[in-house]
Amino acid sequence: LQKSLRETLGADKYSRARKEVLTYMFSRPMQMALYFCTGVLDDETLFHHYALNVPFYTHFTSPIRRYADIVVHRLLSASLGARSPIKMEKEAIQKQADHCNDRKMASKRVQELSADLFFSIFVRVRP
C-alpha cells in the first residue's frame, strides 16, 4: 500500500498531504483496541493479540499520555511485586476502562470528522 501510494500520488507540494489523508482513510476500518479488566472476563481468548499472535497481551505507552496507561503501569508493577497492590475492585477498574474507551472513541470520531472536512476542502480546491 505504501509503495502504491508513493508511486501514485506524485511529488508536488501536496503529495505528502494526500498520502497522509489516504493512509488515514485506509486504516479507518481497522478494529480499535479496547481497554478491559482481565478480572471481569472469563474468556481468556479475549486477551489474545491477533497481529502478534500471542495468547496474553497488554499494551501501554508512557503514563504521561493517557490515564489508562497510568492504571496499566500500576497494575503491572503491582503484579510484578514492585509496588503494593491497587486498592480497587475489579468492577471499579472495568468502569475506568469503559470510561477510557468512551473517551478514546469520541476522540477518534472527532479526528475522523476533521480528516473528512480537510479532505473535502482539499478535493474541492484541487483539480
Side-chain angles (χ1 to χ4, degrees):
L1 178 61
Q2 291 297 326
K3 181 181 176 195
S4 177
L5 286 173
R6 228 182 0 262
E7 292 171 357
T8 307
L9 295 177
D12 64 10
K13 65 180 182 176
Y14 297 108
S15 62
R16 182 171 180 231
R18 284 192 298 269
K19 180 182 174 193
E20 286 180 25
V21 169
L22 290 173
T23 299
Y24 173 75
M25 292 175 82
F26 290 142
S27 66
R28 254 190 192 173
M30 296 175 148
Q31 183 178 1
M32 194 163 78
L34 296 175
Y35 297 109
F36 61 90
C37 177
T38 58
V40 299
L41 298 177
D42 294 327
D43 184 1
E44 287 188 1
T45 62
L46 296 173
F47 308 163
H48 181 262
H49 190 286
Y50 177 78
L52 297 176
N53 195 25
V54 293
F56 297 102
Y57 177 81
T58 190
H59 170 82
F60 58 90
T61 60
S62 169
I64 63 170
R65 284 192 63 202
R66 294 181 288 236
Y67 178 71
D69 297 318
I70 293 172
V71 174
V72 172
H73 273 253
R74 290 176 181 168
L75 290 168
L76 186 57
S77 182
S79 72
L80 296 172
R83 65 171 287 148
S84 59
I86 293 179
K87 294 179 179 19
M88 284 178 74
E89 296 294 321
K90 59 187 173 188
E91 291 79 11
I93 294 171
Q94 183 58 48
K95 188 175 179 180
Q96 291 290 329
D98 291 339
H99 178 74
C100 289
N101 289 331
D102 290 343
R103 297 295 84 215
K104 186 166 75 167
M105 283 188 247
S107 174
K108 182 174 173 57
R109 183 67 184 136
V110 169
Q111 182 182 8
E112 289 172 350
L113 291 170
S114 175
D116 289 348
L117 177 62
F118 170 77
F119 189 67
S120 298
I121 293 169
F122 186 79
V123 169
R124 178 191 269 170
V125 299
R126 294 290 305 154

